[in-house]
Amino acid sequence: MTLTTSRDNTRDDPRDNDIAESLAAAVTEAFENSTPIAIRGGDTKAFLGESGSAEQSLDITGHRGVVSYEPGELVITARAGTPLADIERTLADSGQALAFEPPYFGDAATLGGTIATNLAGPARPFTGAARDFVLGARIINGRGEILRFGGEVMKNVAGYDLSRLMAGAFGTLGVLLDVSLKVLPRPRAQVTQRFEQDQTAAIQNFCQLGRKPWPITASYWEDGTTYLRLAGASSSVSAAQKSLGGEMLSDDVAFWRDVREQQRPLFTDAKSLWRLSVAPATPVLDIAGTTAMDWGGALRWLAGNDDEQGIRQRISQHGGHATVYRGQASSRLHPLSHSMMAVHTRLKNALDPAGILNPGRMYADF
Amino acid sequence: MNQAASLFDPAEHAERASPPDKPTIIAALQAQLPAEMILTEAEDLRPFECDGLSAYRQVPMIAVLPATIEQVQATMRVCHAMDVPVVARGAGTGLSGGALPLDNGVLLSLAKFNRVLDIDTQNRRATVQPGVRNLAISEAVDHLDLYYAPDPSSQIACSIGGNVAENSGGVHCLKYGLTTHNILQLEIVTVDGERLTLGGASLDSPGYDLLALMTGSEGLLGVIVEVVVKLLPKPELAKVAMVAFDDVRAAGDAVAAIINAGCVPAGLEMLDSPAIIATEEFVHAGYPLDAAAILLCEVDGPAAEVEEDIERVREIVAGCGATDVRISRDATERALFWAGRKAAFPAMGRISPDYYCMDGTIPRKALADVLIGIGELSKKYGQRVANVFHAGDGNLHPLILYDANNPGELENTEAFGGAICELCLEHGGTITGEHGVGVEKIDQMCVQFPAAELTQFHAVKAAFDPRTLLNPGKAVPTLHRCAEFGAMHVHNGQVPFPELERL
Amino acid sequence: MQTSIIDAIRNTPDGREANRILRACTHCGFCTATCPTYQLTGDERDGPRGRIYLVKQVLEGHTPTAKTQHHLDRCLTCRACETTCPSGVEYAKLADIGRGLVEQQLTRPRRERLLRWVLRHVVAHRQRFALLLALGQAARPLMIGRLASLKSKIPPRRASSVPSHDRIGHSAASSGRSMLLFDGCVQPSATPHTNAAATRLLNRLGVRVITPTGAGCCGALSQHLSYRDEALDYARANIDAWWPHIRAGAEAIIVSASGCGAEIVEYGYLLRNDPAYAERAARVSALTRDLSDVLAAENLSRLDDIGHGQSVAYHPPCTLQNAPHLHDHVAEILTQAGYTLKPVANAHLCCGSAGSYSLLQPEMAGALRENKLRSLTAENPDVIVTANIGCQMHLESATGVPVRHWIELLEPAA
């Protein structure tokens, strides 16, 4: 891989460094001694999933820097320890962005943690999740081997899609070293309209809007108000704005940042917070608590309810799954069926035979 | 690395415990399935001996044509119990030999699974059987103004199950993604006959992204028996610009210029002169026969945006030396412009008895260099080549024209194809963008991936299919095979896998 | 595609032709998408690509069994595959060659032989068919029990007269224009209205219509039953009957049954190796036109609004859609005449009639008909129309909606 001169090359950071070999050596040693290790980046997403059983940690924040970025290729490759903010700044300088709008949950957020948790912001249903933009990755497997999967091109079906598999695996299948992501141009114009409507009407509205080619890139509902973000060419945005009506939101960039970072009052005030992932047209869920909806209805946030069993049972009936963000639960991620757990443990074993990478970080079983 | 290689060498699996003889296997299958679904005679089996890549042929030992998931499960249980390898096949349109049968195996045809089971308008998804044709999905939801986005050129005939197995792309995947981006849920039957649901109704699922892993796994991890696809609203407007160039390099530069300008076209395709001439004869799309290359650049979305963007495209290509620009005036003309592109591969049948389709993907900036390099290789190997490809994705489809009836010509073609793969790798690309490795590019996998990565692939395979009964010999080469290949083949002066003993 | 045809076949005219056709096939499988039988069975051997393979293995010296014959028999020869094939594979020609070879190597069971004999020796002969049909219609009430299924095969009685001499419809205006109208074997007795209506309308348009008596069956029946020499004899007889009129200036050979039209446009190809007929056959093929194609070129202003918005579902026969050189203008003529055409899904799929197919493959034909009628009646049309006698009879036997030849809808103008 070549270090490419991007348009703005003044940001060469003395902290940029490739420490893949020393990280691999540490994993090899852990493999040989069967010592579980906790992979650690900016520590901003430690609250997700379980805390894991490893006592020794592997700090990847020293492995940082943009490896290559050429706007014309729509691809950026960066080391896992690179601060997410650095990457987004680099892209913004060339009028591009990570289209899945990754939440930070803290200034120290790194690229590695972003991919390992597969988090995506309000744009998710319209542009895709983190996993959708992964083109390739260099990882360290549980034997301490440095492996490269995928690549830096738009399409690649040579070999199993193990780089995409890393997205959302919480580091249990490998230590992310470098990740290549597809990037997209930033929309030329953006505006947000708000509408007063109850949740039932909002769900119906989302469904209807979803069946038409509106230039919508985010749709959110809370407390009797629907928020629709329109983005694209200014001509089409203003045309849609006129057709859809509603009231224009003045500082919509801040609003969507607050939604993404869970800085809306619903989130900040909640003692318990559940993330419910469902099919978008799922009717209003008969579960106690305060609700907000993102992703055009496909994501329901539930505050003020800590009945784990009740929530899980109800959400399973709807074919969805429930993750706890804040509060107590016997399993923070939605439990897997017996047969699925069997596949997971075999797959885990294939990449990390000694079970040393972030054990127990997702589920107690592996 | 040596250690890893020796631990997981699947060559160990090459020698199976001798499976039961054919009559015993047939009897076991007949106990589970209607007799007419089990084909055992050469006369019946020969039509199944190859898929869309007819250069590689093998009559299967047995072909099974089940019609229900239970019958698929029964077939898998019998084969698993008897250690019989299974090759799944959809529409048989694949171009990498992924459905090439085995002489000691069962060919499992899923072509009878051709029904659309459910259309959920509210959630914009459709549940379909794996044998449903790609285009049939869009046709089934056309009246709802919805469609299924991935559109491989063979979309009229290729099945969705095969699309998932190969992670098929198409002309619109620059903007709308590949199969992996457009499916929500898979129902698979595992090697031992169990049903497993991957993904779900929501946009993500708990646990690992097995949906991603299964997509593009070329039938090596499980048999796909049901697919839930995403449906998208049809764009308000789509326009395609047909741009002619008298120089291939100028066309390549125009591709980069369009992307650099912040445009993400819905499709950006290129045909070179031989391809233009062959397809024009079938389709009469009005492609200029004297052009060195044409670009088809489609912009879709809200009407106002499309009008704006297509004019930007016109300006950009004019600045890149386009000799002619025609913009589709209506849906009919747009379809006509695309018709030539979609029929381009088989249309080669008009100018050559056989063609060999390559699938390398490269960074866009290398387009012109690689095209020129392919031209030089064409002279070196003395064979004609036509280029039809997804320029926006950097996904090349050089079609090497040959005549299989001429002794030695296929071998020369394979060598030429191998050289093209390596040219793509030299430019930072991959050997296959969307057609899959299959049997066709299996040796080039040894060039693309070092032993450690291949070993890791085999370990993942073993997690699903420890006895390598599912489509063995495809997609991921054994280290043993790579060692043999390497003995004949030296890449960049380096012998791959120097640590392995040569045969 | 690679071929290795055995020597015994390779150097025959059929062998050379088969090789030429096979070489164009790239095995891409596009053809399977539009093949009606493949859509039904999902069996490679019931699609064009699989059948090409079955033929290929016979050409390559593998002895076929009844199974190969079964799958070749199940082909409708609708030729939808040919219009889908980007490589231009002439499937129907290859299928004919293949069926012929298989027929030579295999003896069919007695029942099949008998049915095929009857088809060739009765149906293809106008007078014999008329007699059989009359008997059948008379015996209809007696068809109960096991014979009940036969009922659906017999079209309802229509006022009929089988001409025994040249019929010449005289034009009102003596423009001097004349055209030949093809009668065929089944149509004069089964659906006599069709050509009667066509003749009247053409006369009104100033065209003298000639139906010479020497012309008979087009030969398609024999051709599809692999009696290719017999088919050529029919072709020669028709050419002989038409030739004097063609020399006298007949502008066209009009065919109102597209199944026959598709055969006649191939006369030039079929007789290309017959020095005595090749030239005339080519001329005949060039003059052959579908009735709608002929009418579309005329001034049809008199048709304005005879339909009064009546709703029509049109079933375009495969032969009219897929045979090269036949052109379909039915929809535009009916629209011009004031009928409302209903959209019909999957118009490219065969109805299952396919000449003698509905009699030889009743199960498959029935399934295709069921699908076709579902599409045709989806919008509750007042009438279903088609452009081929075979489709008309096949469809009308299983629906309550009237099924007519489209020309009958223009009767008010004739």
Side-chain angles (χ1 to χ4, degrees):
Chain A
M1 224 174 279
T2 50
L3 183 75
T4 317
T5 43
S6 66
R7 193 169 59 81
D8 172 5
N9 204 23
T10 55
R11 214 181 356 258
D12 273 347
D13 192 317
R15 289 170 299 176
D16 285 359
N17 204 1
D18 184 340
I19 58 163
E21 292 297 338
S22 71
L23 291 172
V27 176
T28 305
E29 195 188 325
F31 170 61
E32 282 161 1
N33 301 326
S34 295
T35 317
I37 47 174
I39 307 160
R40 180 152 299 177
D43 238 359
T44 55
K45 292 162 187 84
F47 69 95
L48 286 169
E50 312 290 345
S51 48
S53 57
E55 285 166 15
Q56 197 180 316
S57 74
L58 182 73
D59 185 349
I60 57 114
T61 51
H63 185 66
R64 59 182 279 170
V66 172
V67 179
S68 71
Y69 171 47
E70 279 175 88
E73 297 294 326
L74 300 178
V75 179
I76 189 166
T77 300
R79 299 189 186 101
T82 314
L84 190 54
D86 284 7
I87 291 173
E88 295 220 285
R89 243 191 329 269
T90 302
L91 295 174
D93 287 347
S94 293
Q96 297 185 334
L98 296 175
F100 55 99
E101 294 185 310
Y104 282 64
F105 299 144
D107 295 339
T110 60
L111 174 64
T114 300
I115 300 305
T117 52
N118 189 33
L119 292 180
R124 162 68 181 98
F126 309 96
T127 57
R131 59 89 85 178
D132 291 313
F133 291 87
V134 173
L135 297 174
R138 194 160 65 115
I139 66 155
I140 306 169
N141 70 4
R143 298 173 174 277
E145 297 167 330
I146 295 178
L147 308 173
R148 190 190 296 278
F149 300 111
E152 292 187 288
V153 290
M154 289 292 132
K155 294 156 120 178
N156 187 351
V157 294
Y160 303 120
D161 199 349
L162 296 189
S163 51
R164 205 179 304 279
L165 184 67
M166 296 298 144
F170 282 77
T172 60
L173 297 177
V175 180
L176 287 167
L177 286 175
D178 313 332
V179 182
S180 298
L181 294 172
K182 179 179 179 180
V183 298
L184 287 175
R186 297 166 75 88
R188 283 165 268 171
Q190 171 181 318
V191 68
T192 297
Q193 299 294 106
R194 45 175 286 168
F195 308 78
E196 302 301 315
Q197 55 191 185
D198 67 17
Q199 196 185 357
T200 304
I203 293 170
Q204 279 172 359
N205 193 17
F206 290 153
C207 286
Q208 272 162 15
L209 291 169
R211 291 174 55 184
K212 296 278 173 242
W214 294 105
I216 295 174
T217 63
S219 50
Y220 178 78
W221 176 91
E222 67 169 33
D223 196 21
T225 308
T226 286
Y227 300 84
L228 294 179
R229 182 176 65 191
L230 307 168
S234 51
S235 54
S236 55
V237 168
S238 58
Q241 187 185 19
K242 225 171 277 172
S243 308
L244 289 170
E247 181 193 340
M248 195 174 119
L249 201 64
S250 53
D251 187 2
D252 77 327
V253 173
F255 172 81
W256 291 110
R257 188 183 54 229
D258 286 351
V259 169
R260 187 189 72 199
E261 299 298 332
Q262 305 196 333
Q263 293 302 308
R264 304 285 300 163
L266 172 103
F267 300 103
T268 52
D269 298 350
K271 286 198 178 62
S272 77
L273 180 65
W274 284 83
R275 174 192 190 272
L276 312 177
S277 186
V278 292
T282 304
V284 176
L285 294 163
D286 181 22
I287 307 178
T290 317
T291 302
M293 296 191 295
D294 199 352
W295 297 6
L299 197 57
R300 313 275 168 100
W301 293 103
L302 181 69
N305 183 335
D306 52 11
D307 175 14
E308 177 187 2
Q309 250 195 329
I311 292 172
R312 287 252 158 83
Q313 199 178 359
R314 181 49 59 95
I315 206 75
S316 296
Q317 286 165 0
H318 285 283
H321 62 102
T323 308
V324 71
Y325 264 51
R326 212 174 302 155
Q328 292 303 309
S330 62
S331 174
R332 302 189 69 80
L333 305 179
H334 198 89
L336 299 174
S337 70
H338 181 71
S339 56
M340 280 299 269
M341 185 54 84
V343 174
H344 276 68
T345 49
R346 288 200 303 269
L347 190 55
K348 163 78 172 171
N349 190 50
L351 281 122
D352 176 18
I356 54 161
L357 300 178
N358 274 359
R361 185 72 173 78
M362 293 179 82
Y363 297 96
D365 303 59
F366 61 87
Chain B
M1 283 210 192
N2 268 330
Q3 185 199 8
S6 61
L7 273 179
F8 279 104
D9 191 354
E12 288 170 17
H13 297 285
E15 281 178 41
R16 299 175 189 284
S18 64
D21 60 1
K22 184 170 169 178
T24 312
I25 300 165
I26 293 169
L29 287 168
Q30 280 174 342
Q32 303 288 327
L33 298 160
E36 71 272 11
M37 288 183 177
I38 304 161
L39 312 185
T40 61
E41 307 288 327
E43 180 184 14
D44 301 300
L45 293 170
R46 216 168 273 117
F48 295 88
E49 72 177 2
C50 59
D51 57 16
L53 179 65
S54 64
Y56 299 92
R57 297 181 294 274
Q58 172 62 55
V59 178
M61 175 174 68
I62 298 167
V64 179
L65 283 64
T68 67
I69 294 179
E70 290 70 29
Q71 287 166 346
V72 173
Q73 290 178 282
T75 306
M76 294 310 299
R77 282 194 207 105
V78 167
C79 292
H80 188 247
M82 296 190 155
D83 232 9
V84 179
V86 177
V87 177
R89 169 184 164 118
T93 58
L95 293 170
S96 58
L100 182 73
L102 295 163
D103 65 344
N104 63 341
V106 163
L107 183 77
L108 182 65
S109 165
L110 292 146
K112 285 184 188 287
F113 290 78
N114 61 1
R115 280 181 304 131
V116 174
L117 299 173
D118 180 56
I119 295 166
D120 180 346
T121 316
Q122 287 291 80
N123 288 304
R124 300 183 303 282
R125 63 186 180 194
T127 306
V128 300
Q129 292 189 315
V132 170
R133 297 178 298 113
N134 172 297
L135 189 61
I137 301 174
S138 291
E139 285 169 354
V141 296
D142 185 66
H143 63 291
L144 301 166
D145 280 331
L146 298 171
Y147 76 113
Y148 173 66
D151 57 344
S153 297
S154 57
Q155 70 175 144
I156 185 173
C158 63
S159 65
I160 188 71
N163 287 181
V164 174
E166 302 295 327
N167 192 14
S168 304
V171 299
H172 288 97
C173 60
L174 177 60
K175 184 169 176 184
Y176 295 102
L178 307 156
T179 305
T180 193
H181 302 107
N182 287 280
I183 57 173
L184 288 166
Q185 183 181 311
L186 291 176
E187 192 81 11
I188 66 161
V189 170
T190 61
V191 70
D192 51 357
E194 293 307 307
R195 273 176 82 155
L196 216 52
T197 305
L198 314 179
S202 46
L203 288 174
D204 45 32
S205 313
Y208 295 142
D209 195 345
L210 299 179
L211 200 65
L213 181 61
M214 193 59 55
T215 309
S217 63
E218 303 198 24
L220 271 74
L221 303 182
V223 178
I224 296 152
V225 292
E226 205 171 285
V227 186
V228 180
V229 301
K230 280 184 206 170
L231 302 173
L232 298 182
K234 284 193 225 162
E236 192 181 352
L237 183 64
K239 285 196 164 193
V240 55
M242 187 180 70
V243 189
F245 293 90
D246 55 13
D247 173 40
V248 172
R249 189 172 283 278
D253 291 345
V255 171
I258 291 168
I259 304 286
N260 269 320
C263 255
V264 181
L268 186 49
E269 302 283 305
M270 198 194 286
L271 287 83
D272 73 357
S273 176
I276 295 166
I277 291 165
T279 53
E280 181 60 17
E281 194 189 333
F282 172 56
V283 178
H284 310 296
Y287 293 170
L289 291 169
D290 56 346
I294 58 167
L295 277 184
L296 293 169
C297 179
E298 177 156 295
V299 179
D300 73 6
E305 190 166 329
V306 171
E307 300 290 0
E308 198 176 308
D309 281 356
I310 201 81
E311 283 311 313
R312 285 174 68 201
V313 168
R314 190 201 291 274
E315 281 164 31
I316 294 164
V317 296
C320 293
T323 52
D324 186 26
V325 185
R326 282 168 52 195
I327 290 167
S328 61
R329 282 161 297 190
D330 51 33
T332 314
E333 192 170 47
R334 173 180 163 250
L336 186 64
F337 283 174
W338 279 121
R341 168 61 188 88
K342 295 220 164 170
F345 293 3
M348 293 303 144
R350 292 169 185 267
I351 57 170
S352 170
D354 301 277
Y355 69 89
Y356 196 87
C357 175
M358 307 303 299
D359 181 38
T361 303
I362 51 166
R364 273 178 290 265
K365 63 182 173 195
L367 267 181
D369 286 338
V370 171
L371 284 177
I372 289 162
I374 291 171
E376 282 160 10
L377 287 171
S378 169
K379 280 184 209 135
K380 180 181 162 193
Y381 285 89
Q383 279 182 254
R384 292 184 297 164
V385 62
N387 283 290
V388 183
F389 58 96
H390 311 299
D393 306 320
N395 185 193
L396 303 172
H397 289 318
L399 301 163
I400 305 172
L401 308 181
Y402 73 105
D403 184 343
N405 280 11
N406 291 346
E409 210 163 303
L410 173 61
E411 291 71 20
N412 194 53
T413 300
E414 288 176 312
F416 183 4
I420 292 176
C421 280
E422 283 148 37
L423 182 66
C424 293
L425 291 175
E426 279 163 26
H427 283 85
T430 175
I431 57 172
T432 174
E434 58 180 1
H435 294 170
V437 173
V439 287
E440 182 205 19
K441 291 176 280 283
I442 192 135
D443 287 336
Q444 277 70 39
M445 282 291 281
C446 307
V447 185
Q448 179 157 349
F449 288 102
E453 274 83 349
L454 294 175
T455 303
Q456 186 64 74
F457 286 146
H458 288 300
V460 168
K461 159 84 167 168
F464 288 83
D465 176 21
R467 284 189 279 151
T468 61
L469 293 175
L470 286 167
N471 216 4
K474 312 280 174 60
V476 185
T478 61
L479 299 187
H480 191 79
R481 184 185 176 104
C482 286
E484 278 185 0
F485 175 63
M488 308 178 289
H489 184 95
V490 179
H491 178 56
N492 286 353
Q494 282 186 320
V495 180
F497 315 109
E499 70 280 10
L500 289 173
E501 202 181 328
R502 302 288 147 191
L503 291 174
Chain C
M1 192 155 61
Q2 195 173 4
T3 53
S4 49
I5 296 176
I6 53 167
D7 293 344
I9 303 174
R10 194 170 51 209
N11 295 319
T12 63
D14 271 356
R16 277 191 295 271
E17 183 69 348
N19 191 49
R20 179 186 70 81
I21 297 169
L22 275 174
R23 297 303 305 282
C25 175
T26 62
H27 210 254
C28 70
F30 279 29
C31 53
T32 58
T34 51
C35 174
T37 55
Y38 184 80
Q39 298 308 307
L40 281 185
T41 70
D43 185 333
E44 182 76 11
R45 299 166 299 169
D46 286 322
R49 183 175 60 171
R51 291 185 179 117
I52 286 173
Y53 239 83
L54 293 173
V55 171
K56 180 172 173 265
Q57 59 183 346
V58 175
L59 292 163
E60 293 182 345
H62 301 279
T63 311
T65 71
K67 286 184 289 186
T68 289
Q69 190 162 50
H70 173 66
H71 292 290
L72 292 180
D73 281 351
R74 290 222 275 195
C75 168
L76 298 140
T77 327
C78 70
R79 300 171 78 174
C81 52
E82 290 189 15
T83 53
T84 317
C85 176
S87 308
V89 174
E90 293 158 282
Y91 168 82
K93 290 174 183 169
L94 185 67
D96 265 353
I97 294 170
R99 284 170 170 150
L101 286 170
V102 173
E103 207 73 36
Q104 284 166 21
Q105 297 181 43
L106 275 179
T107 311
R108 289 181 181 274
R110 182 197 289 272
R111 257 193 61 145
E112 283 186 31
R113 288 208 308 269
L114 180 69
L115 181 53
R116 281 157 193 266
W117 188 90
V118 169
L119 284 167
R120 283 168 43 232
H121 291 96
V122 178
V123 177
H125 295 262
R126 196 180 292 154
Q127 309 289 355
R128 296 178 207 165
F129 177 75
L131 180 66
L132 181 75
L133 180 63
L135 284 172
Q137 283 164 342
R140 246 178 114 99
L142 305 177
M143 290 177 182
I144 51 172
R146 282 182 61 194
L147 293 176
S149 65
L150 275 178
K151 257 188 196 177
S152 68
K153 302 275 183 279
I154 300 170
R157 192 193 298 269
R158 297 175 174 95
S160 137
S161 67
V162 179
S164 55
H165 52 84
D166 279 14
R167 208 172 66 232
I168 297 179
H170 289 282
S171 113
S174 55
S175 64
R177 295 177 65 193
S178 71
M179 296 186 191
L180 288 155
L181 178 64
F182 176 75
D183 244 359
C185 44
V186 172
Q187 191 161 284
S189 45
T191 58
H193 288 316
T194 303
N195 275 356
T199 303
R200 279 195 295 276
L201 188 64
L202 284 159
N203 289 166
R204 291 290 290 268
L205 293 168
V207 177
R208 196 166 70 103
V209 178
I210 312 162
T211 312
T213 180
C217 175
C218 65
L221 254 170
S222 304
Q223 170 103 1
H224 295 155
L225 296 174
S226 295
Y227 285 82
R228 293 198 287 156
D229 288 339
E230 193 172 85
L232 296 186
D233 288 341
Y234 280 118
R236 291 189 188 100
N238 286 335
I239 293 169
D240 287 340
W242 292 329
W243 196 249
H245 301 283
I246 292 171
R247 290 191 61 179
E251 289 174 40
I253 301 163
I254 307 171
V255 189
S256 59
S258 63
C260 309
E263 180 74 9
I264 300 168
V265 288
E266 297 289 3
Y267 280 0
Y269 172 77
L270 295 171
L271 290 166
R272 68 196 184 285
N273 296 324
D274 179 345
Y277 278 88
E279 203 176 312
R280 281 184 288 159
R283 175 96 179 108
V284 162
S285 288
L287 286 175
T288 301
R289 289 165 74 191
D290 184 72
L291 176 61
S292 69
D293 191 22
V294 170
L295 288 180
E298 303 294 324
N299 176 2
L300 298 180
S301 52
R302 65 163 65 231
L303 296 183
D304 285 352
D305 207 30
I306 55 174
H308 304 297
Q310 215 188 340
S311 70
V312 177
Y314 171 49
H315 165 54
C318 304
T319 35
L320 201 45
Q321 293 190 63
N322 305 326
H325 318 301
L326 283 190
H327 304 291
D328 181 359
H329 296 277
V330 172
E332 63 186 75
I333 291 173
L334 291 181
T335 306
Q336 189 187 344
Y339 289 96
T340 306
L341 266 83
K342 294 290 182 186
V344 179
N346 293 318
H348 65 282
L349 290 181
C350 178
C351 66
S353 164
S356 55
Y357 188 92
S358 59
L359 298 168
L360 296 168
Q361 301 287 338
E363 207 174 303
M364 195 76 93
L368 290 168
R369 178 173 57 194
E370 198 177 308
N371 292 344
K372 179 56 69 183
L373 284 171
R374 196 176 307 126
S375 303
L376 284 167
T377 55
E379 305 264 331
N380 297 313
D382 298 322
V383 60
I384 293 168
V385 298
T386 185
N388 185 39
I389 167 123
C391 309
Q392 187 186 349
M393 287 164 54
H394 182 57
L395 291 172
E396 77 177 352
S397 63
T399 178
V401 182
V403 183
R404 300 167 70 184
H405 191 286
W406 62 271
I407 192 72
E408 296 180 43
L409 266 52
L410 302 187
E411 279 281 41

